[in-house]
Amino acid sequence: MIAALVKQASTLNTHTRYLHENVVELAEIIASKMPGELGVCIFVCTGTEANDLATRIARTATGNKGMLVSEYSYHGDSTLVHTLSTADSEDRPDWLSLFEPPCQYRPAFDGDDLLEDYVGSVHNAINALKQKNQLPAAIMIDSIFDCPGTIEAPKGYFQQVYKKVREAGGLVIADEVQSGYCRTGKWWGFAHDDVVPDIVTLGKPMGAGHPLAAVVTTPEIADKFANESSYFNTFGGNPVSTAVGKAVIDVIDAENILENVARIGAYTRSGLEKLLEKYDVIGDVRGRGLFLSMELVKDRALKTPDAIAAQQMANLMKDEGVILSTHGRYENTLKIRPPMVFNQDNADQLLVALDVCFGKL
Ligand SMILES: Cc1ncc(COP(=O)(O)O)c(C=O)c1O
């Protein structure tokens, strides 16, 4: 990746008013990995820009303004996207409506059918928009809801939610900034649920540290946007960034990173589940691939969140040479996101360190 960067940087870099084959080639490679009609890429520099542009595209394509996001979401930091990041922002304009993330460990509803209740929460969010004379332009949704604590939806949830939003005239924006690029053991997080979004946003791993992100959509939606609006980003998708982007995908494919994430992710998760049997402070283990978390509690039966234990564990683990952080609606979840080249020895090192630190805790 560094060689690709150096080679292109010492040949030519320019903004994307000038077409360059790297831009086209990276777009074609990404499109080849996407399902359905998702064949148009617009390159930007950050996940925030991708979500900002995706919102503009959805609003232009549908003529609606309303946006649906989950409680305790994070989608980025521009003025618009900060408002869509309900974990950080308290701004609730008329065009915004919130639904409950589909947490199965701490159900937000006490009915018999959790799936129905969580889909109902999206339905209610659409109705709440209508009461304010708004219609949904889109739902912006994670495949694994990271910010509220690595929440995995019950089976069938995404199919039903996609259908509801589309019936109400909105599009589905899958925020794959974190769950994309093999992180969950499939190329795209949404692929676990057999759904095809209308717009996908990508970021974080796309440039393996180099600022590169994208919006991917269908030709039909892209055309509607292009006919009414325009977009220019000086650095987004420049020839150097797109050379890096191509090299990242070459490395993922050549080094079987996808297979590695699926295999080592399953191995790591089963190790975490053994720790769950051993230590009462662990209330739940969640996640797929190398997108994993452990929720810590003071009391297993009452599920009382233990944010202090999570903070202490992160510090104890740092002393063992393993960097974790805490997150979640109650700040009591240990966030485990190893690099995707993580191997079995690395996983063992993590699991032994966790065992030592839970013992100390
Ligand atoms: C799910 C998700 N979407 C969007 C973003 C924003 O990406 P960036 O920090 O590149 O603007 C993040 C960053 O943490 C994220 O986790």
Side-chain angles (χ1 to χ4, degrees):
M1 289 181 290
I2 292 167
L5 185 148
V6 170
K7 184 167 174 232
Q8 187 57 47
S10 48
T11 309
L12 170 75
N13 200 12
T14 179
H15 58 74
T16 48
R17 279 203 177 99
Y18 301 109
L19 198 55
H20 188 278
E21 59 260 32
N22 285 351
V23 184
V24 181
E25 283 167 14
L26 178 59
E28 282 174 350
I29 296 166
I30 292 172
S32 75
K33 300 215 175 268
M34 287 279 172
E37 301 290 304
L38 291 165
V40 179
C41 297
I42 304 166
F43 295 114
V44 294
C45 305
T46 65
T48 298
E49 286 178 330
N51 283 331
D52 198 299
L53 176 60
T55 305
R56 269 184 63 197
I57 292 175
R59 284 177 165 173
T60 309
T62 60
N64 301 336
K65 203 174 166 205
M67 290 296 294
L68 303 160
V69 290
S70 73
E71 295 273 2
Y72 220 81
S73 60
Y74 185 78
H75 296 291
D77 251 339
S78 65
T79 305
L80 170 65
V81 182
H82 179 65
T83 305
L84 301 175
S85 298
T86 54
D88 287 352
S89 166
E90 287 174 8
D91 189 20
R92 301 285 184 264
D94 272 2
W95 52 261
L96 183 67
S97 197
L98 274 55
F99 58 92
E100 275 296 330
C103 182
Q104 300 178 76
Y105 178 64
R106 293 177 188 279
F109 306 98
D110 51 18
D112 295 339
D113 189 338
L114 208 50
L115 173 62
E116 191 179 290
D117 286 338
Y118 280 127
V119 175
S121 174
V122 174
H123 179 81
N124 293 343
I126 294 170
N127 281 344
L129 276 181
K130 287 182 183 161
Q131 275 159 16
K132 292 181 278 183
N133 292 322
Q134 299 278 348
L135 288 171
I139 188 170
M140 185 173 284
I141 194 162
D142 292 351
S143 308
I144 294 184
F145 296 74
D146 175 57
C147 202
T150 312
I151 305 296
E152 290 178 279
K155 221 169 174 33
Y157 172 81
F158 285 102
Q159 272 112 339
Q160 293 194 38
V161 166
Y162 276 42
K163 191 160 171 271
K164 276 227 170 294
V165 173
R166 284 171 176 157
E167 279 168 1
L171 302 178
V172 178
I173 302 171
D175 182 339
E176 290 276 329
V177 168
Q178 201 166 151
S179 54
Y181 268 72
C182 309
R183 171 59 64 188
T184 65
K186 287 193 187 268
W187 254 96
W188 314 114
F190 60 76
H192 291 275
D193 297 281
D194 224 8
V195 285
V196 180
D198 303 297
I199 302 177
V200 182
T201 56
L202 308 175
K204 290 190 194 291
M206 259 190 97
H210 186 88
L212 176 61
V215 177
V216 187
T217 189
T218 65
E220 191 189 337
I221 294 170
D223 281 349
K224 282 188 185 159
F225 180 68
N227 288 339
E228 285 192 34
S229 196
S230 66
Y231 185 78
F232 174 67
N233 187 318
T234 301
F235 299 118
N238 66 71
V240 172
S241 300
T242 41
V244 173
K246 285 197 303 172
V248 167
I249 295 179
D250 282 349
V251 171
I252 290 175
D253 286 343
E255 297 185 12
N256 292 323
I257 299 284
L258 176 59
E259 188 271 329
N260 184 67
V261 172
R263 188 167 48 84
I264 302 299
Y267 177 81
T268 308
R269 181 162 170 152
S270 77
L272 298 179
E273 277 160 8
K274 287 191 191 114
L275 293 170
L276 173 80
E277 284 165 23
K278 190 167 171 188
Y279 296 105
D280 280 351
V281 70
I282 306 170
D284 198 22
V285 168
R286 292 194 287 270
R288 273 178 232 155
L290 291 171
F291 196 135
L292 299 164
S293 283
M294 298 175 111
E295 177 156 352
L296 305 192
V297 289
K298 289 187 184 137
D299 180 304
R300 259 203 191 163
L302 297 175
K303 301 183 181 174
T304 326
D306 197 341
I308 293 172
Q311 194 59 58
Q312 285 170 334
M313 273 301 289
N315 284 326
L316 288 167
M317 288 293 283
K318 175 170 62 70
D319 296 340
E320 294 293 317
V322 179
I323 299 174
L324 302 177
S325 63
T326 60
H327 75 151
R329 212 160 175 168
Y330 309 100
E331 286 296 330
N332 64 326
T333 306
L334 282 178
K335 182 172 179 174
I336 304 170
R337 301 284 187 279
M340 294 197 282
V341 291
F342 217 53
N343 63 28
Q344 193 159 329
D345 288 344
N346 303 142
D348 286 334
Q349 186 188 349
L350 166 74
L351 294 167
V352 168
L354 281 169
D355 200 1
V356 168
C357 293
F358 276 121
K360 285 186 190 165
L361 188 79

